[in-house]
Amino acid sequence: MTTSVLPQLPETAEPAPAARLAYGYMRVPAHVPDHKVRHLEQTVIRFAHGHGLTFAGFFFEFHCGSREAFDELVAELVRTGARHVVVPSLRHLALSPQLQEAMCAYLDEAASAEVLALRHPGARRTEQRRLLAGAGAPA
């Protein structure tokens, strides 16, 4: 299975507007220990919440070169009307900067979705460490 949905909100909670929903997308190589993946999941969720988003779940890509989870993510964004995808870094979309750009453009075109990356090539190391520690987004 390529998706992981968080537990449902209590029935008394107001549903989040679709425009404020966010999904996570990560590539998870087989050699990465579970505890590191779980820590990164929690960091992504904190990052989304820090941007005023309601986190709905993850889509995981487990096989190099696969797009199965990415395609499922796009379908879910269209189905729910969610407009945000959170990734640990753009390298989770693809290694090539040109392909990263193409995948971000596709998410925008197909689902009107914006990609938010915890780390990006222009970020300073101190910002990246602060984000990973859960201190929120850079000012």
Side-chain angles (χ1 to χ4, degrees), residues 2-138:
T2 58
T3 62
S4 172
V5 179
L6 298 177
Q8 296 293 321
L9 295 173
E11 291 193 27
T12 58
E14 289 292 319
R20 300 309 303 162
L21 281 178
Y23 286 92
Y25 177 81
M26 293 195 303
R27 289 194 179 270
V28 183
H31 69 276
V32 176
D34 289 346
H35 72 278
K36 288 190 176 191
V37 174
R38 183 65 186 142
H39 175 71
L40 192 53
E41 288 175 357
Q42 293 168 343
T43 303
V44 166
I45 293 168
R46 282 193 308 268
F47 182 82
H49 289 165
H51 281 79
L53 302 171
T54 301
F55 197 82
F58 283 97
F59 288 81
F60 297 99
E61 211 71 78
F62 295 106
H63 305 289
C64 183
S66 175
R67 282 186 34 143
E68 182 181 344
F70 183 80
D71 292 341
E72 288 177 11
L73 168 65
V74 172
E76 184 68 6
L77 291 168
V78 170
R79 186 188 73 76
T80 63
R83 298 289 180 250
H84 298 89
V85 176
V86 183
V87 294
S89 73
L90 293 180
R91 291 178 60 87
H92 281 259
L93 293 175
L95 296 179
S96 159
Q98 292 84 3
L99 188 51
Q100 293 169 4
E101 192 173 310
M103 291 176 80
C104 287
Y106 182 75
L107 286 165
D108 181 40
E109 181 181 312
S112 299
E114 172 187 11
V115 176
L116 301 170
L118 275 71
R119 296 177 298 244
H120 52 86
R124 295 187 311 267
R125 283 186 174 252
T126 55
E127 285 178 353
Q128 291 177 4
R129 279 195 293 269
R130 192 170 87 236
L131 289 172
L132 289 174

